[in-house]
């Protein structure tokens, strides 16, 4: 193998759901590997036997796949440097521990409950590709530290160091919270005579009040965003900008563009703020890019979940297009188009039909007239523009007020205070349904406000 081959890895512990921070770290590692023609590896760090669960491993891999990340070696696909789960690499850790004990770099603690590494009382100095020279005093963690509970039970520090060397990892790109761990890992590398990879510590993810992002202040579970109808393209694009500056005014990048542009030199030191509203704006952007066909395919699970009947695909494509520019997520989109559902119950309050300058009696008359007028129109008029032209000249001829007429029409069709305009809505609903709904509104207001 070529010594200079770039190899990066994401090394998640399967002890919980897929965290947004893990996703961002994985993405940066993948982008750096792709940009440099290197390899990106997934390694499952399940040394903590009690807390590690197979289902979490699955969730983490699902999250990586959902984002569209690709890896060259991993627990699911194998590779020349496997196995890719620490629970399957025990012999290697045992060998390293035996070596450290034999050369007296490590010693068992009296009661035999742990093995500690001897740490010289000197600063550990290393170069970080993002932060420059970093100095850590081993006193920070109290000097000698535990590297195993027993020969067959190594802790994270030992396993990571052995694996990074055995898997020829050239760059360790991980969160800033690992800075002092890196100093420990360097001490272990020295004791074991292993090469030192290059380190790059990514800035912390913060919430809007600049506190460390946590589930107490926001949603940190990556797949919860998937389940609320965020698009992976939007999430990926947004995550890429959490700490990385593309040095251009453009902020929308496809995965391929990111793979070309990404540079560690563009990563900032200061914390990066995760803002769900901003993510929503990215998602809105990507939703708008979808063709009608794509939009229906992506929205379909949400439409189904909402219980709408989707027998007429063309109808739903039109309906979704009406709301496409308004919704931030697929979930919002599905609730936004609820009134297009063929079995919409029309369960709004009759008082909503009355425009603020009007009254019940007048509204009832207008709805009646609207019904008669629209009933006379031919099918060829049933497009947004012609409906608009025809209806507006009718309103003028009759000397009606716009608000008094268009408001009840819109409410009759959507049952909402805020909704798309009456012409585009009527155009999608079609003549029969529009008349049916006006009839419903007429009956409702007749029964009384
Ligand atoms: N298993 C560690 C974690 O989940 C990975 C640390 C590393 O990247 O070395 O934080």
């Amino acid at each position: 193998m070529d010594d200079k081959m770039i190899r990066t890895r994401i090394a998640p512990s399967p002890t919980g759901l897929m965290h947004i921070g893990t996703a961002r770290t994985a993405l940066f590692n993948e982008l750096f590997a792709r940009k440099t023609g290197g390899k990106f590896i997934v390694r499952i760090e399940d040394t903590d036997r009690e807390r590690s669960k197979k289902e979490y491993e699955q969730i983490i891999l699902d999250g990586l796949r959902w984002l569209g990340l690709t890896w060259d070696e991993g627990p699911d696909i194998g590779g020349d440097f496997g196995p890719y789960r620490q629970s399957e690499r025990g012999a290697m850790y045992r060998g390293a521990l035996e070596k450290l004990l034999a050369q007296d770099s490590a010693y068992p603690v009296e009661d035999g409950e742990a093995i500690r590494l001897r740490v010289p009382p000197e600063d550990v100095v290393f170069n970080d590709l993002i932060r420059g020279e970093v100095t850590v005093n081993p006193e920070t963690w109290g000097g000698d530290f535990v590297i195993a509970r027993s020969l067959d039970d190594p802790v994270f520090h030992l396993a990571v160091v052995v694996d990074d060397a055995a898997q020829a990892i050239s760059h360790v790109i991980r969160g800033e919270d690992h800075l002092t761990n890196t100093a420990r890992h360097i001490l272990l590398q020295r004791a074991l005579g292993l090469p030192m990879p290059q380190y790059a510590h990514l800035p912390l993810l913060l919430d809007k009040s600049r506190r460390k992002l946590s589930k107490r202040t926001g949603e940190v579970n990556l797949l919860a965003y998937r389940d609320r109808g965020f698009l992976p393209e939007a999430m990926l694009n947004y995550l890429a900008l959490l700490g990385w500056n593309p040095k251009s005014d453009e902020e929308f990048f496809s995965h391929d563009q990111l793979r070309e542009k990404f540079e560690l030199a563009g990563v900032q030191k200061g914390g990066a703020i995760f803002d769900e509203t901003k993510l929503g704006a990215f998602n809105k952007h990507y939703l708008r890019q979808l063709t009608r066909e794509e939009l229906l395919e992506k929205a379909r699970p949400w439409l189904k979940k909402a219980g709408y009947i989707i027998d007429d695909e063309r109808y739903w494509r039109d309906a979704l297009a009406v709301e496409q520019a308004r919704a931030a997520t697929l979930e919002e989109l599905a609730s936004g188009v609820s009134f297009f559902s063929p079995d919409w119950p029309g369960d709004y309050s009759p008082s909503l039909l009355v425009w603020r300058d009007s009254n019940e009696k007048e509204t009832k008359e207008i709805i009646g007239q609207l019904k008669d007028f629209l009933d006379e129109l031919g099918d060829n008029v049933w497009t947004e523009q012609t409906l608009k032209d025809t209806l507006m000249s009718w309103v003028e001829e009759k000397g009606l007020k716009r608000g008094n007429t268009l408001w009840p029409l819109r409410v009759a069709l959507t049952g909402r205070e805020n909704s798309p305009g009456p012409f585009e809505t009527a155009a999608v609903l079609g003549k029969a349904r529009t008349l049916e709904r006006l009839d419903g509104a007429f009956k409702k207001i007749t029964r009384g406000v």
Side-chain angles (χ1 to χ4, degrees):
M1 195 189 74
D2 180 353
D3 267 359
K4 294 203 187 76
M5 180 68 165
I6 287 186
R7 290 173 57 84
T8 66
R9 88 299 194 272
I10 182 74
S13 305
T15 52
L17 300 175
M18 173 70 156
H19 194 283
I20 292 271
T22 309
R24 196 264 318 242
T25 303
L27 173 62
F28 281 27
N29 275 282
E30 196 246 31
L31 295 180
F32 181 67
R34 299 292 168 249
K35 163 78 185 245
T36 54
K39 299 266 190 261
F40 172 54
I41 290 119
V42 175
R43 181 174 77 220
I44 298 296
E45 296 204 333
D46 53 355
T47 38
D48 185 340
R49 288 178 208 159
E50 284 190 359
R51 291 174 58 229
S52 295
K53 299 228 157 63
K54 257 286 185 320
E55 69 227 52
Y56 291 135
E57 174 182 321
Q58 209 44 55
I59 285 172
I60 289 164
L61 295 181
D62 283 352
L64 296 173
R65 281 190 206 107
W66 176 67
L67 279 176
L69 300 192
T70 56
W71 48 101
D72 305 289
E73 299 163 30
D76 54 335
I77 53 174
D80 292 344
F81 296 79
Y84 294 89
R85 282 184 200 95
Q86 291 186 331
S87 56
E88 295 160 12
R89 300 173 65 82
M92 266 178 265
Y93 311 136
R94 182 179 246 271
L97 284 166
E98 282 167 348
K99 175 173 172 172
L100 291 170
L101 288 169
Q103 69 194 28
D104 199 32
S105 307
Y107 59 93
V109 182
E110 282 146 52
D111 52 12
E113 295 231 320
I115 298 171
R116 279 206 189 128
L117 186 79
R118 285 190 205 283
V119 172
E122 310 160 353
D123 285 349
V124 179
V125 183
F126 64 95
N127 181 54
D128 182 282
L129 294 173
I130 293 162
R131 319 177 73 79
E133 191 176 281
V134 175
T135 303
V136 182
N137 184 334
E139 280 310 312
T140 328
W141 66 76
D144 296 1
F145 61 96
V146 173
I147 54 174
R149 305 277 160 214
S150 73
L151 285 179
D152 294 311
D153 195 3
V155 305
F156 157 72
H157 302 302
L158 182 93
V160 164
V161 165
V162 169
D163 289 345
D164 283 342
Q167 297 180 332
I169 299 302
S170 64
H171 291 73
V172 171
I173 304 170
R174 60 186 176 188
E176 187 190 319
D177 45 333
H178 283 291
L179 261 183
T180 49
N181 286 340
T182 294
R184 287 190 248 228
H185 299 171
I186 289 171
L187 290 167
L188 267 164
Q189 285 152 8
R190 287 180 190 157
L192 286 164
L194 296 174
M196 179 179 143
Q198 300 210 59
Y199 285 96
H201 289 90
L202 304 177
L204 285 184
L205 296 189
L206 307 175
D207 64 23
K208 280 202 285 189
S209 352
R210 303 199 65 87
R211 280 172 308 196
K212 191 174 165 180
L213 189 67
S214 85
K215 57 177 167 227
R216 278 179 294 283
T217 54
E219 182 55 79
V220 293
N221 172 11
L222 177 76
L223 292 178
Y225 289 94
R226 176 194 67 184
D227 298 342
R228 279 166 51 196
F230 284 84
L231 299 173
E233 299 84 339
M235 180 55 98
L236 182 111
N237 189 161
Y238 185 61
L239 287 177
L241 300 177
L242 292 179
W244 173 66
N245 183 344
K247 302 209 167 75
S248 78
D249 294 335
E250 185 53 64
E251 35 174 25
F252 297 116
F253 299 104
S254 69
H255 197 173
D256 281 343
Q257 287 169 329
L258 290 168
R259 284 163 163 172
E260 262 168 46
K261 278 180 169 286
F262 181 80
E263 272 175 4
L264 281 177
V267 178
Q268 73 200 35
K269 286 185 220 162
I273 293 175
F274 179 82
D275 174 359
E276 217 189 288
T277 317
K278 188 93 203 268
L279 170 65
F282 270 74
N283 207 53
K284 212 167 188 172
H285 168 85
Y286 281 93
L287 276 176
R288 282 172 183 225
Q289 312 293 308
L290 298 177
T291 65
R292 288 170 174 242
E293 285 68 28
E294 289 167 339
L295 194 62
L296 177 59
E297 279 333 297
K298 303 216 187 253
R300 196 187 289 273
W302 276 269
L303 301 178
K304 283 201 173 142
K305 203 155 61 179
Y308 310 152
I309 302 156
I310 324 176
D311 45 8
D312 182 349
E313 302 218 333
R314 205 182 64 120
Y315 174 74
W316 279 106
R317 281 198 290 274
D318 292 346
L320 291 169
V322 168
E323 279 284 326
Q324 183 165 19
R326 299 161 59 98
T329 63
L330 291 167
E331 189 176 65
E332 262 182 52
L333 183 68
S335 68
V337 295
S338 62
F339 58 83
F340 282 112
S341 184
D343 60 350
W344 178 65
D347 51 357
Y348 57 92
S349 146
S351 62
L352 193 60
L353 288 162
V354 183
W355 175 242
R356 58 168 187 256
D357 297 339
S358 187
N359 57 54
E360 226 176 291
K361 187 167 167 290
E362 186 191 32
T363 305
K364 185 178 150 184
E365 273 168 30
I366 290 177
I367 294 175
Q369 290 176 357
L370 267 169
K371 238 170 37 143
D372 294 342
F373 176 69
L374 290 172
D375 202 6
E376 294 296 306
L377 297 181
D379 281 342
N380 56 331
V381 176
W382 224 262
T383 67
E384 181 184 349
Q385 192 56 47
T386 42
L387 272 174
K388 183 173 179 185
D389 296 344
T390 321
L391 260 165
M392 290 319 288
S393 38
W394 177 75
V395 165
E396 230 164 83
E397 258 169 49
K398 291 239 143 199
L400 294 167
K401 287 197 193 130
R402 272 166 143 245
N404 295 358
T405 317
L406 299 185
W407 175 269
L409 173 58
R410 208 171 51 72
V411 172
L413 300 183
T414 67
R416 289 197 195 161
E417 222 164 319
N418 294 305
S419 72
F423 309 116
E424 51 177 340
T425 305
V428 173
L429 285 170
K431 185 171 170 181
R433 232 170 238 146
T434 299
L435 287 172
E436 202 179 283
R437 290 186 182 192
L438 275 169
D439 201 42
F442 189 80
K443 290 192 179 125
K444 213 185 250 278
I445 202 152
T446 306
R447 264 182 268 128
V449 176

